[in-house]
Amino acid sequence: MNSSHILTEEFYNRDALTLAAELIGKVLCTVNDGVLTSGIISETEAYMGVTDRASHAYGGRRTARTETMYMEGGHAYVYLIYGMYYCMNVVANVRDVPEAVLIRAVLPRDGAEFMRRRRAERGGMSVCRAKDSRLADGPGKVCTALGITKEHDGKCLWDNEIFIREDGFTPDRAVITGKRINIDYAGEDAERPWRFTLDMADRLRSI
DNA sequence: CGCCGGATTCCG
DNA sequence: GGAATCCGGCGA
């Protein structure tokens, strides 16, 4: 597997918990109007499908929105949250097993200045003054910075406009950080330690 | 740094 | 009605 290999089927056809850990350190890339932007995935959460109260597919819920989660692993599941922001997920496992991994943060890799510009534009600012490590440190910011919108929902992740690749380095380990964020409605499933971070990300953020 | 409220739109 | 969020304002 060469160092800039684009990930395909065999990588994605695994359960979301495994995939959430494996995605740490991989590079999420988009090409919008010929502009490449990308970020090293530094924070993820697993959403474990029909048995997980925090999952959109809990209890086998199958609606217009969640239909994407039932696709084969390796597709993008993008939805609007709080009426204002998009969240980018990687569909895991096989067809009809609706698991997904939320991309909560990335570290800018390619086109950081474009990412910065998109964040500024979104916030109605002339410039975005955030340091690189804070440019895309939340699921809404990831989508703003990389230009991910509803248009990407259902796209295959080895598409020309959105894909995930290896980056020639493998983090020592993904860190299980603990509970998932903002899912208090999920009862005891809110306690599950299904959130992962890149070991170095916390340190970088304070630099 | 932490807590709090408001923004805004689509889904169930 | 509420959500897998963000930002600005305020207090410590």
Side-chain angles (χ1 to χ4, degrees), chain A residues 8-172:
Chain A
T8 55
E9 293 97 321
E10 61 275 15
F11 180 81
Y12 294 108
N13 290 348
R14 296 181 285 177
D15 67 90
L17 196 53
T18 301
L19 194 59
E22 289 288 324
L23 279 168
I24 296 293
K26 301 299 188 290
V27 184
L28 174 58
C29 310
T30 59
V31 178
N32 290 353
D33 300 322
V35 176
L36 168 70
T37 50
S38 76
I40 299 168
I41 297 171
S42 57
E43 185 177 349
T44 60
E45 283 176 352
Y47 285 83
M48 292 293 281
V50 300
T51 61
D52 177 6
R53 291 185 125 79
S55 168
H56 293 165
Y58 176 63
R61 208 156 63 216
R62 198 156 187 158
T63 66
R65 180 176 68 159
T66 65
E67 196 58 34
T68 308
M69 287 189 74
Y70 290 81
M71 295 177 83
E72 180 81 2
H75 291 262
Y77 170 45
V78 182
Y79 66 91
L80 186 68
I81 187 67
Y82 295 106
M84 268 180 283
Y85 300 100
Y86 290 106
C87 285
M88 160 72 192
N89 295 255
V90 174
V91 176
N93 222 308
V94 297
R95 188 170 187 79
D96 292 326
V97 180
E99 300 178 2
V101 177
L102 174 65
I103 307 299
R104 287 196 64 86
V106 304
L107 298 165
R109 174 82 168 57
D110 299 291
E113 289 315 305
F114 290 96
M115 295 168 69
R116 192 172 292 282
R117 199 170 307 172
R118 291 188 188 119
R119 289 270 280 108
E121 188 175 357
R122 178 62 153 87
M125 314 288 284
S126 54
V127 287
C128 170
R129 300 183 181 284
K131 47 190 152 186
D132 276 7
S133 57
R134 292 282 180 139
L135 210 46
D137 63 343
K141 297 187 221 177
V142 167
C143 288
T144 299
L146 294 177
I148 296 170
T149 70
K150 196 80 183 160
E151 300 298 305
H152 293 90
D153 184 48
K155 274 196 185 273
C156 178
L157 287 174
W158 46 99
D159 184 271
N160 286 328
E161 294 174 36
I162 186 166
F163 53 94
I164 301 178
R165 60 174 168 79
E166 297 273 6
D167 196 28
F169 99 101
T170 306
D172 290 346

